[in-house]
Amino acid sequence: MRIRATVAAVSGALALSALAVPASQAADGGFDKTTAAERFGVSRAAMSTAAAADEELPVVSKVTINGAKDVVVGTTAAKKFTVSLTASHSAGILDAYIDLWHGKDLDHIDGLLPPNEEVASCTAVNATTSTCKLTVTAVPGSDLYMNSLAGTWHVTAGVLANDEAGSIYWNDFYGTHRVQRLSKLTVNASPEPVKKGKTITVTGKLTRANWETRTYAGYSTQPAKLQFRKKDSNTYTTVKTVKTNTKGDLKTTVKATVDGFFRWSFAGTSTTPAVNAAGDFVDVK
């Protein structure tokens, strides 16, 4: 970590008091939240002294998590993704910090996804502006140790300017981002082949990652659309909507009309991403 003797006032949505949480103070879930002082190597005393100064602060113009896509994690494989921010200061940008954390506030953190690197990789856009990148890894069963962590997480953004004062921007509530449980969806249409006008039974199952058991479990009482596309078409149309049962199973019947593909389509929720089953072809005689 870079050591600075002084530091400019900390800006953003948080007051200075939010930065002064002792490093040893663990949240309810046992997580120590990184502070500006820890990341950039400044003392709380220096931070407090500089807070009263009218210093130029870094300005963050953009923060991007996982290419602006939800972070989706399954049952076994670790999910490594890139986080980045763009910031400006008249003296340029020296370092940056981004993490994701879960909890109702800084005193009640039950999930934390810190960056893998001690120092960000910053690329100058011009003399005053840089884009800085880091990576974050989420491990199911470890970082994501309970299913209730799925959903909206807070995003922390911090920036260290390249000036003598070591001016800092820090905001533990810069934004939010979703971390979700990977979903899977199957389909089976039978009988195959089938005579025109006869009944086709279409079944399927919607499951999602259970981070606690490291297995996939049925997602109950969720609406899924049964969709069909003709053999020579590229477009699916919705036939009907069916809810999964308590085990995540889907089942319905339709009349056979023409050759084509059936699939189930799930729109997703805040904790679980959208997913489409691969089409199952039915030959209508």
Side-chain angles (χ1 to χ4, degrees), residues 80-91:
K80 185 177 181 179
F81 56 96
T82 299
V83 297
S84 66
L85 64 74
T86 300
S88 301
H89 187 276
S90 61

Side-chain angles (χ1 to χ4, degrees), residues 243-276:
K243 280 192 175 183
T244 59
N245 65 12
T246 56
K247 296 181 179 180
D249 297 321
L250 291 158
K251 184 176 182 180
T252 191
T253 58
V254 294
K255 293 295 183 180
T257 55
V258 297
D259 293 352
F261 298 83
F262 285 95
R263 75 175 185 184
W264 292 105
S265 179
F266 172 60
T269 63
S270 62
T271 62
T272 309
V275 62
N276 294 320

Side-chain angles (χ1 to χ4, degrees), residues 13-14 60 62-65 98-103 152-158 169-178:
L14 293 183
V60 176
K62 184 179 182 181
V63 173
T64 303
I65 309 296
I98 299 172
D99 72 27
L100 286 77
W101 61 276
H102 188 274
T152 301
W153 287 54
H154 299 284
V155 175
T156 297
Y169 169 91
W170 191 273
N171 188 350
D172 280 302
F173 294 88
Y174 182 88
T176 59
H177 199 80
R178 293 201 303 195

Side-chain angles (χ1 to χ4, degrees), residues 123-141:
T123 302
V125 177
N126 52 47
T128 61
T129 303
S130 290
T131 296
C132 300
K133 295 183 178 181
L134 295 152
T135 62
V136 174
T137 301
V139 181

Side-chain angles (χ1 to χ4, degrees), residues 224-228 236-241 265:
K225 294 178 180 179
L226 176 64
Q227 298 181 327
F228 178 78
Y236 277 95
T237 57
T238 298
V239 178
K240 62 175 72 174
T241 299
S265 179

Side-chain angles (χ1 to χ4, degrees), residues 72-81 136-140 143-144 214:
V72 179
V73 184
T75 59
T76 57
K79 173 68 175 181
K80 185 177 181 179
F81 56 96
V136 174
T137 301
V139 181
D143 301 308
L144 305 176
R214 309 291 292 278

